[in-house]
Amino acid sequence: MGRRLPVYMLIDTSGSMRGEPIESVKVGLEAMLSSLRQEPYALDTVNISIITFDREVKVLAPLTPLEDFQLPEIVVPESGPTFTGAALELLCKQVDAEVRLSTPERKGDWMPLLFLLTDGKPSDIQAYNNVIPEIKKRHFASIVACAAGMHAKTEPLKQLTDQVFALDTLDSASFKRFFQWVSASIEIGNKSIGATDELELPPPPEEVNVIV
């Protein structure tokens, strides 16, 4: 079995994502998958996992090879909190269980990538703050956080990563462009990342604002 590039996607499904926003996310994810499947190297190595979080945290798709990946149904509850901290705690468990480390006999997987899409601030802020050091221990090649919507909070995300972006609108065009950029980022990670390399992301589209 060859080296895999694990890609973890954490998607906020709290109440304000109901309706057009979550449908737009689905369109964007489909576009991303379609784009990646046209890249032979990505098809050989990319493995994708989707974790959703609202008042519940769920592994909608464990780490799955791109060629076998089927986009799961994403459901948004009527209302409720945004348990981002709990989602990151679950992510740590999934990474520990799924990502293969190098041994003397074999090379392990590429360093994983993490894309976090959220429209609000964590409801479980203490758990969120506590889990950030644990996330750093997992040696992600890149952590990209996207705050979606006019009222999204970017300050908590900047504690997690210095790669924080914002989408002002939650329409399908914006999400499609965002996920096209995600797929380009994955392809770069796939081809160039080494054991200690820092991943240089391509410039984001106009709809995506860089938060500094």
Side-chain angles (χ1 to χ4, degrees), residues 136-165:
K136 310 260 188 202
K137 291 177 187 175
R138 268 63 185 183
H139 302 296
F140 286 92
S142 182
I143 298 175
V144 174
C146 180
M150 293 295 288
H151 305 295
K153 303 291 184 189
T154 58
E155 292 81 5
L157 298 177
K158 292 175 76 171
Q159 299 170 37
L160 178 67
T161 176
D162 56 4
Q163 297 186 99
V164 178
F165 303 88

Side-chain angles (χ1 to χ4, degrees), residues 39-187:
E39 286 282 328
Y41 196 70
L43 207 52
D44 281 346
T45 55
V46 170
N47 283 241
I48 295 176
S49 171
I50 292 181
I51 295 173
T52 59
F53 59 100
D54 43 69
R55 59 181 170 229
E56 293 184 68
V57 178
K58 299 173 187 167
V59 179
L60 285 197
L63 204 60
T64 303
L66 177 61
E67 63 179 346
D68 300 326
F69 190 86
Q70 299 289 325
L71 190 63
E73 184 180 3
I74 301 175
V75 178
V76 176
E78 290 285 345
S79 62
T82 305
F83 286 149
T84 317
L88 293 172
E89 289 170 359
L90 179 58
L91 171 67
C92 288
K93 293 177 183 174
Q94 293 299 110
V95 168
D96 292 347
E98 294 175 334
V99 176
R100 295 195 295 258
L101 302 177
S102 292
T103 69
E105 291 77 34
R106 67 160 195 221
K107 284 187 174 181
D109 292 329
W110 299 107
M111 294 162 70
L113 306 180
L114 170 59
F115 295 92
L116 170 66
L117 178 67
T118 180
D119 72 334
K121 62 178 185 286
S123 302
D124 54 347
I125 193 70
Q126 185 171 351
Y128 179 80
N129 290 336
N130 289 343
V131 78
I132 287 174
E134 293 301 315
I135 291 290
K136 310 260 188 202
K137 291 177 187 175
R138 268 63 185 183
H139 302 296
F140 286 92
S142 182
I143 298 175
V144 174
C146 180
M150 293 295 288
H151 305 295
K153 303 291 184 189
T154 58
E155 292 81 5
L157 298 177
K158 292 175 76 171
Q159 299 170 37
L160 178 67
T161 176
D162 56 4
Q163 297 186 99
V164 178
F165 303 88
L167 275 175
D168 291 338
T169 57
L170 300 177
D171 60 24
S172 58
S174 296
F175 276 122
K176 193 167 183 179
R177 293 275 291 158
F178 172 71
F179 282 111
Q180 285 172 343
W181 174 68
V182 168
S183 66
S185 303
I186 291 171
E187 288 162 20

